[in-house]
Amino acid sequence: MGDCEEQLRKQIGELDARLRQLRADKAEKSVIAGEVATRRDLTTRLGALTGVSASSKKESKTIAVKVPKGTRDYTAKDMSVRSEIFQTIVEVFERHGAVTIDTPVFELKEVLTGKYGEDSKLIYDLKDQGGEECSLRYDLTVPFARHVAMSGIPKIKRYHIAKVYRRDQPAMTKGRMREFFQCDFDIAGPYDAMIPDAECVRVAVEVLSQLDVGSFVVKLNHRKILDAIFEVSGVPEDKIRAISSAVDKLDKLPWADVRKEMTEEKGLAGEVADRIGTYVQLRGGPELLETLKAKPELMANAKAQEGVADMELFFRYAAIYNVLGYVSFDMSLARGLDYYTGIIYEAVLVEESERPVVAQAAASAAKKSKSGEVDESQARTGSIAAGGRYDKLVGMFVASRRGKEGRDGVPCVGISFGMERIFSLVMSRRMSQDIKANKTAVYVIAPKDGLLEERMRIATELWDNGIATEFAYKTNPRLATQYSACDADVIPWAVIIGKDELEKGVVLLKNMAEKDASQGNGAVIQRSEMVAELKKRLQA
């Protein structure tokens, strides 16, 4: 009876795991209902066996076994791929001289308040504990600025990879979650104009190219140019951020809808919206600067002059960094966060058929943009990185500490990569491949007689020499079971031993990826040469 009870409990546990995955994957209701019915039947059988019915008061209250909305579990294979992505990103960051830091997962509420514009409503507030009101961090940029101000750091090139939290309406299929990783690269310090800004775009191109996410383009704009457009168009100062947020939606809405939001929802005069429209529908490359400089009403504005000068420098440096072919000057890009002060950028996916457009740089897009029409070839199919310059954010915290203006702040620029969307893209390209979840390189096999202790000795010797090794945790395992373990975990090499091999002081090395008969039982190697031979083969 004990074995039967144990088996039923095991089946119920497996069903619970399957139900969690089905719900996470948003499987069809009929499929989930079928699994629930099967579980109910197993629970009834278990109750009859143990004398405790499913409805018994002795049984504990049912718990909703699921993850919260906007979050998810990651399997061992998922984590293997994520680890590879993180490693690639870190290698690029460190190649550019960045060091890493860490900050608390929650900050004082006042540190985060007022930094994110309309998105401030998405901040997760925590219950007052011990007289301090705290909130979960919304991004990694504001905590970094607080850290720089608090520590008195004059300059630093840093990266930070950590979870952030947003009280958003989740859309898992679109990569919009409430808990997710960001990978940030920032340069803080009083450097000459646009040198670090261009390097951030170079970092973005390196990361996304090495991860092979598909065709992408880095859209660029400048907050000073955008603010100048709003000023010369007649936008009241108190409406600039709200109108900026509306403009930022031009990547997914037609101009008519954006204009309607400006006029009907945000109270902007129709003629002002129309003046804005003549600018924000422009996009292209370096040539677009000539279009802007040909508009005297815009170039009479000091902010526009500064922004255009910055962008001229940027395009010059982008050509030197070999990234000009990946960027597009897009006047609709606004980035709604309040702390941006200069260049802003956003890496977005484009359709695979549009790859030639990206490769030809933004020059061809510039030709289309002069007519004032949106180039649909670069319509967003997914934002995977974003950032920009934020020169006053550190100064806000310096001012708070010293009770004066933030003129002593440290200018900063950075780029942030959205891990979850990148992960989804990489996984979609690897669905047909074997994903190795562990690092095991060698499996020790005994075809007959078990030889448990000898398998343990070999594993110990390989561990001592830094070789990831496993063996079957059975005294006398079946040969088929041992081979299946190698296949299941994609283990490339096996050390095979038997009594004959022990007597002769040899082992057999077998390449488990080879399925043909010519491989035979493996290559005979002297036991004393086993470690050296394995290291050589693993490095090949």
Side-chain angles (χ1 to χ4, degrees), residues 396-426:
M396 294 173 64
F397 296 117
V398 172
S400 297
R401 293 182 68 220
R402 299 182 182 178
K404 61 180 181 179
E405 293 299 322
R407 59 180 178 274
D408 295 326
V410 180
C412 303
V413 64
I415 182 82
S416 178
F417 297 87
M419 175 61 184
E420 311 315 325
R421 177 154 290 177
I422 289 174
F423 169 70
S424 297
L425 292 168
V426 174

PDB file of all heavy atoms in Angstrom, residues 396-426:
ATOM      1  N   MET A 396      20.378  66.513  -9.283  1.00  0.00           N
ATOM      2  CA  MET A 396      19.190  66.585  -8.439  1.00  0.00           C
ATOM      3  C   MET A 396      19.464  66.012  -7.060  1.00  0.00           C
ATOM      4  O   MET A 396      19.022  66.540  -6.044  1.00  0.00           O
ATOM      5  CB  MET A 396      18.029  65.823  -9.099  1.00  0.00           C
ATOM      6  CG  MET A 396      17.527  66.440 -10.384  1.00  0.00           C
ATOM      7  SD  MET A 396      16.310  65.416 -11.233  1.00  0.00           S
ATOM      8  CE  MET A 396      14.982  65.402 -10.037  1.00  0.00           C
ATOM      9  N   PHE A 397      20.227  64.907  -7.020  1.00  0.00           N
ATOM     10  CA  PHE A 397      20.547  64.290  -5.735  1.00  0.00           C
ATOM     11  C   PHE A 397      21.620  65.068  -4.988  1.00  0.00           C
ATOM     12  O   PHE A 397      21.609  65.159  -3.762  1.00  0.00           O
ATOM     13  CB  PHE A 397      20.986  62.848  -5.944  1.00  0.00           C
ATOM     14  CG  PHE A 397      19.907  61.967  -6.508  1.00  0.00           C
ATOM     15  CD1 PHE A 397      20.043  61.372  -7.742  1.00  0.00           C
ATOM     16  CD2 PHE A 397      18.736  61.756  -5.794  1.00  0.00           C
ATOM     17  CE1 PHE A 397      19.044  60.567  -8.262  1.00  0.00           C
ATOM     18  CE2 PHE A 397      17.727  60.947  -6.308  1.00  0.00           C
ATOM     19  CZ  PHE A 397      17.882  60.360  -7.547  1.00  0.00           C
ATOM     20  N   VAL A 398      22.557  65.677  -5.730  1.00  0.00           N
ATOM     21  CA  VAL A 398      23.575  66.522  -5.102  1.00  0.00           C
ATOM     22  C   VAL A 398      22.907  67.722  -4.450  1.00  0.00           C
ATOM     23  O   VAL A 398      23.223  68.104  -3.323  1.00  0.00           O
ATOM     24  CB  VAL A 398      24.628  66.985  -6.138  1.00  0.00           C
ATOM     25  CG1 VAL A 398      25.565  68.005  -5.516  1.00  0.00           C
ATOM     26  CG2 VAL A 398      25.420  65.790  -6.657  1.00  0.00           C
ATOM     27  N   ALA A 399      21.938  68.316  -5.164  1.00  0.00           N
ATOM     28  CA  ALA A 399      21.217  69.461  -4.620  1.00  0.00           C
ATOM     29  C   ALA A 399      20.458  69.088  -3.363  1.00  0.00           C
ATOM     30  O   ALA A 399      20.410  69.852  -2.395  1.00  0.00           O
ATOM     31  CB  ALA A 399      20.255  70.004  -5.683  1.00  0.00           C
ATOM     32  N   SER A 400      19.875  67.891  -3.342  1.00  0.00           N
ATOM     33  CA  SER A 400      19.123  67.446  -2.170  1.00  0.00           C
ATOM     34  C   SER A 400      20.038  67.291  -0.960  1.00  0.00           C
ATOM     35  O   SER A 400      19.674  67.621   0.162  1.00  0.00           O
ATOM     36  CB  SER A 400      18.429  66.111  -2.469  1.00  0.00           C
ATOM     37  OG  SER A 400      17.500  66.257  -3.504  1.00  0.00           O
ATOM     38  N   ARG A 401      21.268  66.819  -1.194  1.00  0.00           N
ATOM     39  CA  ARG A 401      22.199  66.592  -0.089  1.00  0.00           C
ATOM     40  C   ARG A 401      22.799  67.892   0.427  1.00  0.00           C
ATOM     41  O   ARG A 401      23.036  68.060   1.603  1.00  0.00           O
ATOM     42  CB  ARG A 401      23.331  65.656  -0.532  1.00  0.00           C
ATOM     43  CG  ARG A 401      22.898  64.239  -0.837  1.00  0.00           C
ATOM     44  CD  ARG A 401      24.076  63.377  -1.214  1.00  0.00           C
ATOM     45  NE  ARG A 401      24.959  63.171  -0.089  1.00  0.00           N
ATOM     46  CZ  ARG A 401      26.288  63.163  -0.158  1.00  0.00           C
ATOM     47  NH1 ARG A 401      26.879  63.381  -1.314  1.00  0.00           N
ATOM     48  NH2 ARG A 401      27.013  62.949   0.914  1.00  0.00           N
ATOM     49  N   ARG A 402      23.047  68.832  -0.506  1.00  0.00           N
ATOM     50  CA  ARG A 402      23.751  70.049  -0.123  1.00  0.00           C
ATOM     51  C   ARG A 402      22.844  71.259   0.025  1.00  0.00           C
ATOM     52  O   ARG A 402      23.296  72.331   0.420  1.00  0.00           O
ATOM     53  CB  ARG A 402      24.833  70.352  -1.174  1.00  0.00           C
ATOM     54  CG  ARG A 402      25.874  69.237  -1.277  1.00  0.00           C
ATOM     55  CD  ARG A 402      26.943  69.601  -2.285  1.00  0.00           C
ATOM     56  NE  ARG A 402      27.919  68.518  -2.420  1.00  0.00           N
ATOM     57  CZ  ARG A 402      28.945  68.545  -3.258  1.00  0.00           C
ATOM     58  NH1 ARG A 402      29.139  69.604  -4.022  1.00  0.00           N
ATOM     59  NH2 ARG A 402      29.785  67.529  -3.334  1.00  0.00           N
ATOM     60  N   GLY A 403      21.578  71.101  -0.335  1.00  0.00           N
ATOM     61  CA  GLY A 403      20.643  72.204  -0.190  1.00  0.00           C
ATOM     62  C   GLY A 403      20.900  73.343  -1.152  1.00  0.00           C
ATOM     63  O   GLY A 403      20.663  74.508  -0.833  1.00  0.00           O
ATOM     64  N   LYS A 404      21.433  73.047  -2.330  1.00  0.00           N
ATOM     65  CA  LYS A 404      21.676  74.089  -3.327  1.00  0.00           C
ATOM     66  C   LYS A 404      21.414  73.520  -4.710  1.00  0.00           C
ATOM     67  O   LYS A 404      21.056  72.356  -4.868  1.00  0.00           O
ATOM     68  CB  LYS A 404      23.097  74.624  -3.229  1.00  0.00           C
ATOM     69  CG  LYS A 404      24.175  73.564  -3.474  1.00  0.00           C
ATOM     70  CD  LYS A 404      25.553  74.193  -3.365  1.00  0.00           C
ATOM     71  CE  LYS A 404      26.638  73.157  -3.643  1.00  0.00           C
ATOM     72  NZ  LYS A 404      27.986  73.748  -3.557  1.00  0.00           N
ATOM     73  N   GLU A 405      21.608  74.340  -5.731  1.00  0.00           N
ATOM     74  CA  GLU A 405      21.360  73.902  -7.093  1.00  0.00           C
ATOM     75  C   GLU A 405      22.279  72.743  -7.471  1.00  0.00           C
ATOM     76  O   GLU A 405      23.385  72.617  -6.947  1.00  0.00           O
ATOM     77  CB  GLU A 405      21.571  75.070  -8.057  1.00  0.00           C
ATOM     78  CG  GLU A 405      20.549  76.197  -7.914  1.00  0.00           C
ATOM     79  CD  GLU A 405      19.143  75.729  -8.192  1.00  0.00           C
ATOM     80  OE1 GLU A 405      18.967  74.908  -9.109  1.00  0.00           O
ATOM     81  OE2 GLU A 405      18.228  76.161  -7.478  1.00  0.00           O
ATOM     82  N   GLY A 406      21.840  71.951  -8.402  1.00  0.00           N
ATOM     83  CA  GLY A 406      22.593  70.762  -8.778  1.00  0.00           C
ATOM     84  C   GLY A 406      23.688  71.012  -9.790  1.00  0.00           C
ATOM     85  O   GLY A 406      23.942  70.163 -10.627  1.00  0.00           O
ATOM     86  N   ARG A 407      24.358  72.173  -9.718  1.00  0.00           N
ATOM     87  CA  ARG A 407      25.407  72.473 -10.701  1.00  0.00           C
ATOM     88  C   ARG A 407      26.624  71.583 -10.520  1.00  0.00           C
ATOM     89  O   ARG A 407      27.481  71.501 -11.394  1.00  0.00           O
ATOM     90  CB  ARG A 407      25.817  73.941 -10.613  1.00  0.00           C
ATOM     91  CG  ARG A 407      26.345  74.365  -9.240  1.00  0.00           C
ATOM     92  CD  ARG A 407      26.713  75.851  -9.264  1.00  0.00           C
ATOM     93  NE  ARG A 407      27.184  76.292  -7.952  1.00  0.00           N
ATOM     94  CZ  ARG A 407      26.403  76.697  -6.973  1.00  0.00           C
ATOM     95  NH1 ARG A 407      25.090  76.716  -7.160  1.00  0.00           N
ATOM     96  NH2 ARG A 407      26.896  77.088  -5.820  1.00  0.00           N
ATOM     97  N   ASP A 408      26.734  70.945  -9.346  1.00  0.00           N
ATOM     98  CA  ASP A 408      27.874  70.069  -9.089  1.00  0.00           C
ATOM     99  C   ASP A 408      27.600  68.639  -9.533  1.00  0.00           C
ATOM    100  O   ASP A 408      28.376  67.743  -9.221  1.00  0.00           O
ATOM    101  CB  ASP A 408      28.225  70.071  -7.588  1.00  0.00           C
ATOM    102  CG  ASP A 408      28.706  71.441  -7.129  1.00  0.00           C
ATOM    103  OD1 ASP A 408      29.355  72.134  -7.935  1.00  0.00           O
ATOM    104  OD2 ASP A 408      28.421  71.793  -5.986  1.00  0.00           O
ATOM    105  N   GLY A 409      26.516  68.427 -10.236  1.00  0.00           N
ATOM    106  CA  GLY A 409      26.185  67.081 -10.677  1.00  0.00           C
ATOM    107  C   GLY A 409      27.138  66.572 -11.744  1.00  0.00           C
ATOM    108  O   GLY A 409      27.906  67.320 -12.344  1.00  0.00           O
ATOM    109  N   VAL A 410      27.074  65.267 -11.981  1.00  0.00           N
ATOM    110  CA  VAL A 410      27.942  64.618 -12.953  1.00  0.00           C
ATOM    111  C   VAL A 410      27.131  64.303 -14.207  1.00  0.00           C
ATOM    112  O   VAL A 410      26.106  63.635 -14.128  1.00  0.00           O
ATOM    113  CB  VAL A 410      28.530  63.316 -12.368  1.00  0.00           C
ATOM    114  CG1 VAL A 410      29.446  62.646 -13.380  1.00  0.00           C
ATOM    115  CG2 VAL A 410      29.279  63.597 -11.068  1.00  0.00           C
ATOM    116  N   PRO A 411      27.555  64.781 -15.384  1.00  0.00           N
ATOM    117  CA  PRO A 411      26.832  64.440 -16.613  1.00  0.00           C
ATOM    118  C   PRO A 411      26.953  62.953 -16.921  1.00  0.00           C
ATOM    119  O   PRO A 411      27.993  62.337 -16.685  1.00  0.00           O
ATOM    120  CB  PRO A 411      27.527  65.293 -17.685  1.00  0.00           C
ATOM    121  CG  PRO A 411      28.865  65.631 -17.123  1.00  0.00           C
ATOM    122  CD  PRO A 411      28.707  65.674 -15.629  1.00  0.00           C
ATOM    123  N   CYS A 412      25.897  62.365 -17.468  1.00  0.00           N
ATOM    124  CA  CYS A 412      25.857  60.917 -17.718  1.00  0.00           C
ATOM    125  C   CYS A 412      25.175  60.615 -19.043  1.00  0.00           C
ATOM    126  O   CYS A 412      24.317  61.364 -19.512  1.00  0.00           O
ATOM    127  CB  CYS A 412      25.082  60.194 -16.605  1.00  0.00           C
ATOM    128  SG  CYS A 412      25.685  60.443 -14.931  1.00  0.00           S
ATOM    129  N   VAL A 413      25.533  59.465 -19.607  1.00  0.00           N
ATOM    130  CA  VAL A 413      24.849  58.933 -20.784  1.00  0.00           C
ATOM    131  C   VAL A 413      24.903  57.415 -20.683  1.00  0.00           C
ATOM    132  O   VAL A 413      25.860  56.854 -20.134  1.00  0.00           O
ATOM    133  CB  VAL A 413      25.510  59.427 -22.094  1.00  0.00           C
ATOM    134  CG1 VAL A 413      26.925  58.918 -22.233  1.00  0.00           C
ATOM    135  CG2 VAL A 413      24.669  59.059 -23.314  1.00  0.00           C
ATOM    136  N   GLY A 414      23.875  56.738 -21.180  1.00  0.00           N
ATOM    137  CA  GLY A 414      23.870  55.285 -21.055  1.00  0.00           C
ATOM    138  C   GLY A 414      22.887  54.601 -21.981  1.00  0.00           C
ATOM    139  O   GLY A 414      22.078  55.241 -22.665  1.00  0.00           O
ATOM    140  N   ILE A 415      22.963  53.267 -21.989  1.00  0.00           N
ATOM    141  CA  ILE A 415      22.079  52.413 -22.791  1.00  0.00           C
ATOM    142  C   ILE A 415      21.628  51.249 -21.932  1.00  0.00           C
ATOM    143  O   ILE A 415      22.397  50.725 -21.128  1.00  0.00           O
ATOM    144  CB  ILE A 415      22.794  51.910 -24.071  1.00  0.00           C
ATOM    145  CG1 ILE A 415      21.861  51.066 -24.945  1.00  0.00           C
ATOM    146  CG2 ILE A 415      24.050  51.123 -23.724  1.00  0.00           C
ATOM    147  CD1 ILE A 415      20.967  51.872 -25.817  1.00  0.00           C
ATOM    148  N   SER A 416      20.368  50.860 -22.063  1.00  0.00           N
ATOM    149  CA  SER A 416      19.812  49.756 -21.278  1.00  0.00           C
ATOM    150  C   SER A 416      19.212  48.718 -22.226  1.00  0.00           C
ATOM    151  O   SER A 416      18.454  49.065 -23.139  1.00  0.00           O
ATOM    152  CB  SER A 416      18.732  50.273 -20.329  1.00  0.00           C
ATOM    153  OG  SER A 416      18.152  49.202 -19.604  1.00  0.00           O
ATOM    154  N   PHE A 417      19.555  47.445 -22.006  1.00  0.00           N
ATOM    155  CA  PHE A 417      19.072  46.353 -22.849  1.00  0.00           C
ATOM    156  C   PHE A 417      17.950  45.599 -22.122  1.00  0.00           C
ATOM    157  O   PHE A 417      18.078  45.275 -20.937  1.00  0.00           O
ATOM    158  CB  PHE A 417      20.208  45.382 -23.174  1.00  0.00           C
ATOM    159  CG  PHE A 417      21.318  46.003 -23.967  1.00  0.00           C
ATOM    160  CD1 PHE A 417      22.353  46.659 -23.330  1.00  0.00           C
ATOM    161  CD2 PHE A 417      21.313  45.958 -25.352  1.00  0.00           C
ATOM    162  CE1 PHE A 417      23.373  47.255 -24.044  1.00  0.00           C
ATOM    163  CE2 PHE A 417      22.319  46.550 -26.084  1.00  0.00           C
ATOM    164  CZ  PHE A 417      23.353  47.206 -25.426  1.00  0.00           C
ATOM    165  N   GLY A 418      16.866  45.328 -22.841  1.00  0.00           N
ATOM    166  CA  GLY A 418      15.748  44.578 -22.276  1.00  0.00           C
ATOM    167  C   GLY A 418      15.993  43.083 -22.403  1.00  0.00           C
ATOM    168  O   GLY A 418      15.847  42.514 -23.495  1.00  0.00           O
ATOM    169  N   MET A 419      16.343  42.449 -21.306  1.00  0.00           N
ATOM    170  CA  MET A 419      16.746  41.046 -21.334  1.00  0.00           C
ATOM    171  C   MET A 419      15.624  40.126 -21.809  1.00  0.00           C
ATOM    172  O   MET A 419      15.856  39.186 -22.567  1.00  0.00           O
ATOM    173  CB  MET A 419      17.217  40.623 -19.934  1.00  0.00           C
ATOM    174  CG  MET A 419      17.543  39.151 -19.798  1.00  0.00           C
ATOM    175  SD  MET A 419      18.895  38.663 -20.899  1.00  0.00           S
ATOM    176  CE  MET A 419      18.930  36.896 -20.598  1.00  0.00           C
ATOM    177  N   GLU A 420      14.397  40.357 -21.374  1.00  0.00           N
ATOM    178  CA  GLU A 420      13.321  39.397 -21.645  1.00  0.00           C
ATOM    179  C   GLU A 420      12.997  39.328 -23.137  1.00  0.00           C
ATOM    180  O   GLU A 420      12.774  38.248 -23.681  1.00  0.00           O
ATOM    181  CB  GLU A 420      12.063  39.746 -20.840  1.00  0.00           C
ATOM    182  CG  GLU A 420      12.318  40.005 -19.362  1.00  0.00           C
ATOM    183  CD  GLU A 420      13.244  38.988 -18.706  1.00  0.00           C
ATOM    184  OE1 GLU A 420      13.209  37.790 -19.068  1.00  0.00           O
ATOM    185  OE2 GLU A 420      14.010  39.398 -17.827  1.00  0.00           O
ATOM    186  N   ARG A 421      12.987  40.475 -23.803  1.00  0.00           N
ATOM    187  CA  ARG A 421      12.703  40.443 -25.239  1.00  0.00           C
ATOM    188  C   ARG A 421      13.862  39.815 -26.004  1.00  0.00           C
ATOM    189  O   ARG A 421      13.672  39.045 -26.943  1.00  0.00           O
ATOM    190  CB  ARG A 421      12.421  41.850 -25.752  1.00  0.00           C
ATOM    191  CG  ARG A 421      12.179  41.895 -27.246  1.00  0.00           C
ATOM    192  CD  ARG A 421      11.329  43.066 -27.636  1.00  0.00           C
ATOM    193  NE  ARG A 421       9.957  42.891 -27.177  1.00  0.00           N
ATOM    194  CZ  ARG A 421       9.004  43.806 -27.343  1.00  0.00           C
ATOM    195  NH1 ARG A 421       9.288  44.922 -27.951  1.00  0.00           N
ATOM    196  NH2 ARG A 421       7.788  43.591 -26.887  1.00  0.00           N
ATOM    197  N   ILE A 422      15.092  40.148 -25.596  1.00  0.00           N
ATOM    198  CA  ILE A 422      16.265  39.540 -26.240  1.00  0.00           C
ATOM    199  C   ILE A 422      16.238  38.029 -26.034  1.00  0.00           C
ATOM    200  O   ILE A 422      16.490  37.258 -26.957  1.00  0.00           O
ATOM    201  CB  ILE A 422      17.562  40.149 -25.676  1.00  0.00           C
ATOM    202  CG1 ILE A 422      17.714  41.596 -26.158  1.00  0.00           C
ATOM    203  CG2 ILE A 422      18.769  39.326 -26.090  1.00  0.00           C
ATOM    204  CD1 ILE A 422      18.882  42.325 -25.542  1.00  0.00           C
ATOM    205  N   PHE A 423      15.904  37.595 -24.819  1.00  0.00           N
ATOM    206  CA  PHE A 423      15.827  36.163 -24.520  1.00  0.00           C
ATOM    207  C   PHE A 423      14.798  35.474 -25.418  1.00  0.00           C
ATOM    208  O   PHE A 423      15.057  34.391 -25.963  1.00  0.00           O
ATOM    209  CB  PHE A 423      15.484  35.957 -23.049  1.00  0.00           C
ATOM    210  CG  PHE A 423      15.128  34.549 -22.680  1.00  0.00           C
ATOM    211  CD1 PHE A 423      16.091  33.558 -22.670  1.00  0.00           C
ATOM    212  CD2 PHE A 423      13.824  34.211 -22.351  1.00  0.00           C
ATOM    213  CE1 PHE A 423      15.765  32.251 -22.336  1.00  0.00           C
ATOM    214  CE2 PHE A 423      13.489  32.913 -22.015  1.00  0.00           C
ATOM    215  CZ  PHE A 423      14.461  31.933 -22.013  1.00  0.00           C
ATOM    216  N   SER A 424      13.641  36.090 -25.581  1.00  0.00           N
ATOM    217  CA  SER A 424      12.599  35.497 -26.428  1.00  0.00           C
ATOM    218  C   SER A 424      13.072  35.365 -27.867  1.00  0.00           C
ATOM    219  O   SER A 424      12.817  34.352 -28.526  1.00  0.00           O
ATOM    220  CB  SER A 424      11.330  36.355 -26.374  1.00  0.00           C
ATOM    221  OG  SER A 424      10.794  36.383 -25.071  1.00  0.00           O
ATOM    222  N   LEU A 425      13.794  36.375 -28.351  1.00  0.00           N
ATOM    223  CA  LEU A 425      14.292  36.326 -29.727  1.00  0.00           C
ATOM    224  C   LEU A 425      15.324  35.222 -29.897  1.00  0.00           C
ATOM    225  O   LEU A 425      15.283  34.466 -30.872  1.00  0.00           O
ATOM    226  CB  LEU A 425      14.916  37.673 -30.089  1.00  0.00           C
ATOM    227  CG  LEU A 425      13.956  38.854 -30.210  1.00  0.00           C
ATOM    228  CD1 LEU A 425      14.728  40.158 -30.286  1.00  0.00           C
ATOM    229  CD2 LEU A 425      13.069  38.693 -31.439  1.00  0.00           C
ATOM    230  N   VAL A 426      16.253  35.128 -28.947  1.00  0.00           N
ATOM    231  CA  VAL A 426      17.294  34.108 -29.037  1.00  0.00           C
ATOM    232  C   VAL A 426      16.684  32.717 -28.938  1.00  0.00           C
ATOM    233  O   VAL A 426      17.038  31.804 -29.696  1.00  0.00           O
ATOM    234  CB  VAL A 426      18.357  34.327 -27.948  1.00  0.00           C
ATOM    235  CG1 VAL A 426      19.360  33.182 -27.936  1.00  0.00           C
ATOM    236  CG2 VAL A 426      19.092  35.650 -28.179  1.00  0.00           C
TER     237      VAL A 426
END
